[in-house]
Amino acid sequence: MSMLKIKKGDNVRVIAGKDKGKEGKVTAVVDGKLLVEGINTVTKHAKPSQANPKGGIIHEEAPIDASNVMLVVKGKATRVGFKTVDGKKGPEKVRVAKATGEVID
């Protein structure tokens, strides 16, 4: 799969779906889908197990597609582009905020 424009630890804003407008921090990236704190929360019914002896109802975040979020830089949602800059070991590919032209990492 191609390189994603959003990484673990980024702050993102949801632009589509039931949580539209909410912001959160990316906790995991798996196959083009993201786990975001407090976003896309689902309810699961768990049977009792050794890890969870009582069982019951569990609330957890479900993955959300990367196309449904935008990166937040300085409080503003922005698209992400790439640019090549000179680094310590030669040219490096870095992420750039389209709204400001600022290098993200």
Side-chain angles (χ1 to χ4, degrees):
M1 181 165 196
S2 65
M3 183 175 172
L4 275 182
K5 297 180 178 185
I6 297 174
K7 296 181 179 179
K8 181 178 176 179
D10 287 345
N11 287 320
V12 294
R13 181 176 299 151
V14 179
I15 58 171
K18 67 178 183 178
D19 292 323
K20 183 176 180 176
K22 291 184 182 178
E23 291 187 19
K25 188 175 182 179
V26 177
T27 56
V29 178
V30 181
D31 293 331
K33 294 190 179 274
L34 313 170
L35 280 177
V36 184
E37 288 178 359
I39 305 295
N40 200 21
T41 307
V42 295
T43 304
K44 287 193 167 191
H45 298 269
K47 283 186 170 182
S49 64
Q50 284 206 316
N52 185 9
K54 273 190 117 176
I57 298 172
I58 300 171
H59 301 282
E60 61 182 34
E61 288 100 12
I64 185 169
D65 198 82
S67 65
N68 293 334
V69 299
M70 285 182 84
L71 185 68
V72 175
V73 178
K74 294 187 177 176
K76 188 175 180 182
T78 180
R79 292 177 295 145
V80 180
F82 291 100
K83 184 165 77 171
T84 306
V85 296
D86 289 327
K88 296 176 186 173
K89 300 177 184 177
E92 291 182 27
K93 187 175 178 183
V94 294
R95 295 185 302 162
V96 177
K98 291 276 191 167
T100 61
E102 176 183 347
V103 174
I104 298 166
D105 55 1

